[in-house]
Amino acid sequence: MAICFSGKAQQLPEKQQMLQQLRLANHYFMEKWPDAGKTIVTNRERPANIWTRAVYYEGLMALYEIDRSQRYIDYAHQWGEKHQWLPARERFTRNADNQCCGQTYIDLYRISKQPIQIAGIKANIDAMLETDRANDWTWIDALQMAMPVMVKLGVTYSDSRYFEKMYAMYHHTKYQEGGHGLYNAEDNLWWRDKDFVHPYTEPNGEDCYWSRGNGWVVSALVRVLNELPDTDPHYNEYKQDLLNMLAALAPLQRADGFWNVSLHDPEHFGGKETTGTALFVYGMAWAINRGLVDAAVYLPVINKAWHALTTEALHKNGFLGYVQGTGKEPKDGQPVTHTSMPDFEDYGLGCFLLAGVEVYQLKR
C-alpha cells in the first residue's frame, strides 16, 4: 500500500526529553496511588489487579527496560504481593481480563525467581490447557489481556502447549466468533465483538472499527511476537496480521496526529483520543525497531502521533487527557476532551508508556 502524507513533518524530541515525559506521566500516577493494593472505586469497588491496572503495570515494566529504577520494581512487587500473586477476582478464571495481571507477575518472576510470583497464574492457565474449549475470547480486547500470559509461560517453561492453546483460542476469535470471526480481511481491521459484525454499521454506513479495540489487537500481536520463537508454526500468521493492520491504520491517522475512536467514521464521536493512538504508535515503533516495516513510511506517522500525545494529551502535572473511558465502542466514555477524567486513569497511562518506550528506542 502506498501511503502519502502532507504537511510539515514533526520530529521526535531528544531521548532525554522523551524519558522525562514518560517519568512525568508515571510519577503523577505513582504519587496518586502510593498503595498498590488499594481498591479502585468508581461506580463500585473493584480489586486493584483488574485489567485496567494490569495494563498500567505492563507499561511500567516496559519503562523499567530503559529507566532502571528499583522504585518501579518495588511498586510492581508490592502490587503482586498485595494480591497474593493471583488472577483478579477468582483463583481459577477463564476470563482474559482477570488473567492480564499475570503478565507482570511473570516478568517479576523472571527477575527475582520467587516461585510464588508465577504459581497462581500458571495454575490458572494450566487448568485451561486441560480442556478442549477454545471459545473464551469473544471480544478482541481479550487478545491483549491473555495471549501475552500464555506466550510468556511457554517461553519461561519451554513448553509449546501454551503456544498451541493460545493459537487455538486466537483462531476461534479471528475465524469463528460471531459466525465468521471478528477479523475482516477486506479492511485488515477487527470488529470489537459479535455485536458489531456486519450488517452492523456506523452512521456513515461503514463498518464499526473501534480504535482502542484494534489497538488491543496490535498490542497483543506485538507482545506475542516479542517472545514467541520464530519456529512456531503460527509465527508468520501473527506477524502478517500485525503488518496488515499497521498498513491499514496508517492512512487513517488524523491530520493532528491522533486517531478517531471510530476508525472508518470520523464524524461518529470524532476527535482526539489517546489510548488507540498510543497503541498504534506502540505497534509501529516496535515494527520499525525489528526491521519489519519501512521506517520511511511509518516514522512520519509516529513522529506526528508522538508530538500530539506529548504536547496535547500530556499535562504539565503528568495527567493524560483525551483518554476514552472504559467501554467497547465510540459512544462510550464520551465526551473525550483535554481535561476529561476517564473512569479509570491507569490503562491510558499503560498504553502511553508502552508507546513511549518503543519510540524512545527508535534509531534516530
Side-chain angles (χ1 to χ4, degrees), residues 103-269:
Q103 297 186 47
T104 296
Y105 297 168
I106 297 166
D107 287 346
L108 291 169
Y109 169 77
R110 289 173 170 180
I111 294 172
S112 56
K113 301 296 184 183
Q114 297 179 27
I116 191 174
Q117 296 171 312
I118 203 170
I121 191 62
K122 182 178 186 299
N124 182 219
I125 301 300
D126 285 354
M128 295 181 71
L129 298 184
E130 299 302 317
T131 74
D132 293 329
R133 179 176 164 185
N135 63 348
D136 297 274
W137 299 342
T138 58
W139 72 112
I140 59 176
D141 314 30
L143 303 183
Q144 196 285 148
M145 308 304 162
M147 288 181 74
V149 174
M150 290 186 170
V151 76
K152 285 174 181 287
L153 285 171
V155 169
T156 303
Y157 290 97
S158 300
D159 188 342
S160 63
R161 293 181 305 151
Y162 296 101
F163 305 151
E164 293 161 7
K165 187 68 172 181
M166 175 178 69
Y167 182 74
M169 298 180 74
Y170 180 77
H171 184 276
H172 172 85
T173 307
K174 181 180 177 183
Y175 296 109
Q176 297 171 290
E177 179 59 31
H180 301 286
L182 300 181
Y183 178 64
N184 187 348
E186 292 184 11
D187 292 330
N188 289 315
L189 295 171
W190 297 68
W191 297 294
R192 198 270 181 179
D193 57 52
K194 66 181 181 181
D195 293 342
F196 300 97
V197 173
H198 194 78
Y200 182 96
T201 60
E202 291 285 76
N204 70 348
E206 291 282 335
D207 283 71
C208 180
Y209 300 122
W210 183 43
S211 179
R212 187 164 67 237
N214 279 270
W216 290 138
V217 181
V218 168
S219 176
L221 293 170
V222 164
R223 296 175 72 74
V224 166
L225 291 167
N226 210 35
E227 302 223 9
L228 186 69
D230 61 11
T231 53
D232 182 87
H234 306 294
Y235 179 91
N236 287 332
E237 180 179 348
Y238 295 134
K239 182 172 75 171
Q240 194 59 53
D241 286 351
L242 174 63
L243 298 182
N244 289 344
M245 287 189 73
L246 298 183
L249 289 163
L252 302 178
Q253 186 180 35
R254 292 163 50 95
D256 58 21
F258 289 92
W259 275 262
N260 289 299
V261 294
S262 183
L263 294 174
H264 276 197
D265 188 349
E267 301 304 318
H268 192 212
F269 295 98

Side-chain angles (χ1 to χ4, degrees), residues 45-62:
E45 188 173 14
R46 296 172 174 86
N49 63 340
I50 59 173
W51 72 266
T52 67
R53 191 60 51 89
V55 171
Y56 160 69
Y57 281 98
E58 291 175 44
L60 183 67
M61 295 305 291

